[in-house]
Amino acid sequence: MTSIVLFGPPGAGKGTQAARITDSTGLPQVSTGDMLRAAVKNGTETGMAAKQYMDAGQLVPDSIIIDLIKERVLEKDAQNGLMFDGFPRTVPQAEALAEITEVSHVISIEVPDERIVERICGRYSCASCGAVYHDTFNPTSTEGVCDQCGSKEMKRRADDNESTVLQRLGAYHEQTSPLADWYDAKGIFHRIDGDRDIDQITVDILQALE
Ligand code: ADP
Ligand code: ADP
Ligand code: ZN
């Protein structure tokens, strides 16, 4: 089992790129953010424990995240590895992941802080298939209709507002960015300029994965 990690601040484009490279990598995308939002929606114990942190733009405690991942890797489609998006976010999470799977590449999508707020505040997604769009940078071809599946129901995340984004960015710099050195020391950390066209970034990521 050999996995890939997509790394970067909130709004860097991890989910957008994950959806575009999953066919090439053959690895299922695992977003801890999506898993947590599903848990909140379903009212599970994990969801009830995580909600307060997510609403405040803080990281959910490591033990909760690590338990989620331990369960996820037991699923059948995880046999050949997974493509993690938004995990790990702390050094203890990365240490736990190293016990579970080999990580061949960490793809770091680098976007300056001043771009993040506009990215997050314009984000919306298809309520049916999850495709991610942006009001200005990546709108649907026909307004209000999903390009991927044709659904007309779009949604926005409750935590995609300016004040929560600033909290999330603070958590990223304090708790997540130290992981860059941790992975760099292992020689598997690839920096990609994420402040460009979505297509160009995809090309660079696929090249880094070769
Ligand atoms: P993350 O998963 O890292 O939080 P997303 O993939 O959800 O980020 O992207 C955040 C927002 O920015 C979305 O609205 C997306 O459409 C938009 N976006 C993604 N990549 C780019 C890019 N290269 N340039 C401009 N906007 C982008
Ligand atoms: P984004 O990439 O836009 O920050 P995510 O969907 O990855 O958003 O995460 C949303 C929220 O879920 C985070 O602000 C945090 O509260 C929680 N979360 C997601 N993944 C993790 C993780 N690996 N560790 C701790 N908290 C997490
Ligand atoms: Zn859709």
Side-chain angles (χ1 to χ4, degrees), residues 71-82:
E71 258 179 52
R72 180 64 184 83
V73 295
L74 297 177
E75 283 174 44
K76 213 170 167 206
D77 68 347
Q79 271 173 359
N80 295 326
L82 294 167

Side-chain angles (χ1 to χ4, degrees), residues 1-19:
M1 182 182 181
T2 305
S3 300
I4 292 172
V5 169
L6 296 179
F7 183 84
K14 302 180 295 294
T16 299
Q17 296 298 334

Side-chain angles (χ1 to χ4, degrees), residues 10 14 32-33 36-37 58 60 86 89 93 123 157 168:
K14 302 180 295 294
T32 39
L36 291 168
R37 280 184 289 279
Q58 294 167 357
V60 171
R89 264 164 141 111
Q93 289 181 20
R123 169 161 65 185
R157 279 168 46 180
R168 284 153 63 195

